[in-house]
Amino acid sequence: MQKLVESFIATANAFDVEGALSLFAADAVIDDVSVGNAFIGHTGVRQYLERFFVGYSTRSKLLSMEELDTFHSSVRLDFTGNFGHEVGILKIAIDSTGLIERIDADLE
């Protein structure tokens, strides 16, 4: 899980949408309470990455990570970009193949 989270941060920080997308299952969901929307499947995840990472020049820094079990982690990130500065929590669930199947995101 640590390697997956680090890969997600690295690809998102590089604005490598294709690289980040390769870490997600085809039917993955990002449910972001702070924006009031869920993004479903590769199409939705792509929209999320392009809008909130590329579009806002978002850079993420890992603050902490707690592995809840083999398939679930709670990740605390520091976000900076042209929106200012925020700290957020990503609750990440992976499938049996090691791909991200769900992220529940919110800001502190």
Side-chain angles (χ1 to χ4, degrees):
M1 185 70 84
Q2 180 82 29
K3 184 178 177 183
L4 178 66
V5 169
E6 289 171 355
S7 293
F8 175 70
I9 292 169
T11 55
N13 284 348
F15 308 122
D16 178 2
V17 173
E18 293 303 319
L21 199 57
S22 74
L23 303 173
F24 287 82
D27 59 350
V29 174
I30 297 178
D31 189 358
D32 191 331
V33 174
S34 66
V35 300
N37 205 354
F39 300 83
I40 301 168
H42 273 190
T43 300
V45 172
R46 177 186 302 281
Q47 290 171 344
Y48 184 83
L49 293 168
E50 289 175 349
R51 183 172 176 192
F52 298 108
F53 283 83
V54 177
Y56 287 101
S57 299
T58 300
R59 300 281 182 185
S60 306
K61 179 182 173 191
L62 181 63
L63 297 174
S64 65
M65 182 175 147
E66 178 184 1
E67 289 192 33
L68 305 173
D69 61 36
T70 305
F71 297 104
H72 299 88
S73 287
S74 181
V75 178
R76 189 168 180 257
L77 296 170
D78 184 80
F79 295 110
T80 57
N82 60 19
F83 54 86
H85 174 253
E86 298 284 350
V87 174
I89 303 291
L90 303 181
K91 295 195 183 233
I92 301 174
I94 62 171
D95 65 15
S96 61
T97 67
L99 294 175
I100 299 168
E101 67 179 2
R102 183 174 184 91
I103 294 179
D104 290 294
D106 200 359
L107 298 174
E108 287 188 342

